[in-house]
Amino acid sequence: MAIQWFPGHMHLTRKAIGERIKEIDVVIEMLDARLPGSSANPMLVDLTAVKPALKVLNKQDLADPVHTEAWLAHYNAQAGTRAIALGTDNKAPAHALVQACREVAPTRGISLAKPMRVLICGIPNVGKSTLINTLVGKKSAKAADEAGVTKNEQRYVLEDGFYLYDTPGVLWPRIIVAQSGYNLAASGAVGRNAFDDAEVALELLSYLKQHYVPELEARYKLGLAPGAVADLQDEELLDAIGRKRGALIAGGRINEQKAAEIVITDFRTGALGRISLETPAEYARWLSEGKKLDAERTARKDAFEEARKAPGRKTRNARW
């Protein structure tokens, strides 16, 4: 299943970012600490490449701390980039953000004549609105545990000479990394109508079986021998979880939809524990494979178009 979600307002957001970036000093990109690579928008790289960047790994209190440290090191090694991690356990997020922005743009924000102008952007449901409400000390930005709540740009003053511009969450027109699509859906960054819950839950369980067996055993208490969870097929594990939680329909059959919702919700809320769905090395491999497949797809499409245009040739319609 290819997961894609790019509502009309995201086109407008892309255009607005392109205009606003001309007068911005630092770009803050909010990332989901549980999937930093998948939640990094490649479209934003093109739009904001000329500006210093601050990568904020949000929801770090839900992520695997070992993986978070690896991602921070990965981003901090990049030129013109600073990376920090934030979560609900961070007691002074405003100070952390302001300090980090001043590190990458030391000549800005030193006076009202040279204010710091910061653009904060990221994918839907990454926690921007919740963070902004914390920063400004009041409920100014709409926040909800679903994608696509913020629709318009808003400006906030964090302190004298420090202006923060918020933009709606935006994905990109085509996700070429298949695993990123599943991870984004599991995190809540994609609208519900864009994916199948059961398929996303199965992909999630497949990864958890490889890396977080103790967490699965502790959460669902399936009565299996230690480590036996890893030997189950993905469908068998989802079935066992559904039966344990009473997700059944007539005839004692599993309610796959309800079982999938249980697994996805447990991941999103942190009920499964502190879990990350990718490491820098894993994501680099997925991205390389995705680019290769995308190049092959483009080559097939180009060949089809050439054959279709050739004199005397008839080619049936094809799906790409």
Side-chain angles (χ1 to χ4, degrees):
M1 177 179 64
I3 296 175
Q4 307 291 341
W5 190 60
F6 198 72
H9 75 272
M10 292 189 181
H11 286 285
L12 299 177
T13 299
R14 178 169 59 178
K15 183 178 179 180
I17 292 175
E19 289 297 318
R20 175 63 65 188
I21 199 66
K22 300 172 184 176
E23 57 189 56
I24 290 298
D25 301 305
V26 177
V27 175
I28 298 177
E29 183 177 12
M30 295 277 289
L31 305 175
D32 190 321
R34 299 166 298 177
L35 46 143
S38 292
S39 58
N41 191 334
M43 186 177 71
L44 293 177
V45 173
D46 296 333
L47 290 172
T48 65
V50 297
K51 302 293 182 177
L54 172 62
K55 305 287 189 181
V56 176
L57 275 62
N58 200 32
K59 305 183 182 182
Q60 66 91 20
D61 49 315
L62 299 177
D64 187 320
V66 175
H67 288 4
T68 298
E69 286 301 318
W71 278 105
L72 289 173
H74 169 77
Y75 283 120
N76 280 319
Q78 298 176 3
T81 302
R82 176 86 167 84
I84 62 173
L86 292 179
T88 56
D89 54 346
N90 189 285
K91 303 303 180 184
H95 176 76
L97 280 180
V98 171
Q99 181 63 29
C101 286
R102 285 177 171 156
E103 289 178 13
V104 294
T107 63
R108 305 300 305 183
I110 56 178
S111 69
L112 291 178
K114 299 183 72 174
M116 177 76 78
R117 297 158 302 186
V118 175
L119 179 73
I120 185 168
C121 50
I123 65 171
N125 202 32
V126 76
K128 287 193 296 90
S129 296
T130 300
L131 174 62
I132 289 170
N133 289 334
T134 301
L135 296 177
V136 301
K138 57 183 178 180
K139 195 171 183 180
S140 299
K142 293 181 180 178
D145 188 22
E146 62 179 292
V149 172
T150 303
K151 293 292 195 302
N152 302 298
E153 180 188 83
Q154 302 175 69
R155 193 188 85 155
Y156 305 94
V157 179
L158 294 192
E159 60 181 43
D160 289 343
F162 196 105
Y163 306 125
L164 180 69
Y165 294 86
D166 180 27
T167 59
V170 59
L171 285 170
W172 47 106
R174 193 157 59 85
I175 299 171
I176 66 170
V177 179
Q179 193 61 43
S180 289
Y182 289 115
N183 289 353
L184 288 166
S187 74
V190 177
R192 291 186 60 89
N193 293 333
F195 64 91
D196 179 82
D197 289 289
E199 194 160 354
V200 170
L202 289 171
E203 286 291 329
L204 179 58
L205 289 174
S206 178
Y207 189 86
L208 297 179
K209 285 193 313 176
Q210 298 175 55
H211 303 283
Y212 294 100
V213 168
E215 286 78 4
L216 285 171
E217 292 176 335
R219 178 60 180 169
Y220 297 117
K221 298 179 174 60
L222 299 177
L224 303 174
V229 164
D231 297 326
L232 295 177
Q233 296 295 318
D234 302 336
E235 293 80 1
E236 291 175 331
L237 180 53
L238 182 61
D239 184 277
I241 292 171
R243 293 186 183 283
K244 181 69 175 182
R245 292 300 185 84
L248 301 172
I249 56 178
R253 291 177 297 152
I254 183 72
N255 185 330
E256 191 176 62
Q257 174 68 26
K258 186 174 180 180
E261 290 175 355
I262 289 171
V263 173
I264 293 172
T265 299
D266 283 351
F267 167 69
R268 291 180 181 177
T269 60
L272 273 166
R274 299 184 66 173
I275 287 172
S276 294
L277 297 182
E278 55 198 41
T279 66
E282 285 174 331
Y283 182 75
R285 185 176 73 253
W286 297 341
L287 181 59
S288 177
E289 293 169 353
K291 287 181 176 179
K292 180 180 178 181
L293 291 173
D294 192 55
E296 293 173 352
R297 172 187 176 277
T298 300
R300 290 196 303 270
K301 184 177 180 180
D302 290 344
F304 171 80
E305 289 297 323
E306 287 297 321
R308 187 177 63 84
K309 294 176 182 177
R313 295 290 301 275
K314 291 184 179 180
T315 308
R316 295 192 178 197
N317 291 334
R319 294 179 62 189
W320 304 103

